[in-house]
Amino acid sequence: MSRLPPAPTDQYVSLPDTRLVTTRALLTARENLTNTLNARAMMCLYGGAGFGKTVAATSCLRALEADEDIRRITFHARATTRAVRHELFATLELPGQPPRYATEFDHLLKTTLATHPRTLVLDEAQWLQSDQLEYVRYLWDDPHTQPAVIFVGGEGCYHALRKEPMLSSRIFIWQHFTRLTPDEVLDVIPLCHPFWADADPDDITFADSRAAHGNFRNWARLTAHTQTALHRTGRTRIDQEVLRWAFSRLSST
């Protein structure tokens, strides 16, 4: 059973015909996640916003879901330990009402995690503070529980985990996602969307240097605006005039 979101929600911008491209980072993530799950260990997948870490983690885990009970929690603000307990209660779909007392709650969660192997994906984990990170370690450390834990987050996630010696010493794999290099952009972007398939490589390099900067999320926004420009002008091929119009819609340029 998996509680991962459906594939169409992976992208922040709705772009029909967008394809997931197997980059070196994605291949590495697939191997790292498989090894982490096999070891029932913990790993940290981190990097700047828009570098593709959440899409990589979700798509790779989705391919493993037939054999795994995968549950994902996404944090959008600083959470309390009580909130983490309640998120786990809801994510694990436990029956009845959440226990009122911490000791009772902890016993329930540990008992549940001991029933069969599960994978917990903690997305935007940079929002977790010391007490909550220690609580995750406390659940994982119990000799009877069997979770694999995947921390996914921004650069702040790495620093947050590294500040917790007892937790960071237990991280099985650290993987840092970075922006695409110029050579990777030329290899990857023509495969991501049909609009770029027959684009001049110089125009793709121009778009990357002026607006996208090796960032998948920037490329998605730029593609959406470029699509609009092509429709409005009736053109069928991307050129630098079309790209400059698209750049004008992006605040980063």
Side-chain angles (χ1 to χ4, degrees), residues 41-222:
M42 294 191 285
M43 75 170 284
C44 177
L45 201 161
Y46 68 99
F51 289 172
K53 55 193 179 294
T54 298
V55 171
T58 304
S59 62
C60 291
L61 289 170
R62 197 179 284 124
L64 300 171
E65 67 182 356
D67 301 316
E68 284 287 330
D69 183 350
I70 303 172
R71 310 294 175 116
R72 188 175 86 163
I73 300 173
T74 302
F75 299 97
H76 298 289
R78 294 197 178 278
T80 63
T81 304
R82 179 178 182 276
V84 172
R85 287 189 179 99
H86 280 263
E87 288 282 2
L88 286 168
F89 184 91
T91 299
L92 295 171
E93 299 179 302
L94 299 181
Q97 296 298 313
R100 293 181 58 188
Y101 301 105
T103 53
E104 183 184 359
F105 215 144
D106 295 349
H107 176 72
L108 173 63
L109 291 176
K110 288 194 289 184
T111 299
T112 301
L113 291 172
T115 58
H116 64 270
R118 288 181 172 86
T119 297
L120 301 177
V121 183
L122 306 182
D123 199 12
E124 302 295 349
Q126 68 272 11
W127 289 108
L128 296 175
Q129 302 176 79
S130 179
D131 287 349
Q132 293 81 62
L133 292 171
E134 171 61 20
Y135 185 68
V136 174
R137 184 200 64 78
Y138 161 74
L139 293 175
W140 182 85
D141 257 357
D142 187 282
H144 301 292
T145 62
Q146 307 174 65
V149 179
I150 313 300
F151 295 97
V152 183
E155 301 289 355
C157 177
Y158 172 84
H159 297 296
L161 269 61
R162 279 297 192 190
K163 288 193 298 184
E164 305 300 324
M166 293 183 68
L167 175 61
S168 64
S169 66
R170 289 162 169 78
I171 298 297
F172 186 55
I173 296 174
W174 302 85
Q175 183 177 348
H176 187 202
F177 266 63
T178 58
R179 66 181 72 250
L180 296 170
T181 66
D183 286 342
E184 287 176 316
V185 166
L186 290 175
D187 289 337
V188 168
I189 297 306
L191 301 176
C192 283
H193 197 280
F195 282 149
W196 303 105
D198 62 349
D200 189 307
D202 288 341
D203 290 337
I204 294 176
T205 298
F206 176 69
D208 191 59
S209 64
R210 287 288 304 273
H213 311 299
N215 184 302
F216 277 114
R217 197 172 300 168
N218 288 347
W219 270 108
R221 294 189 299 141
L222 179 60

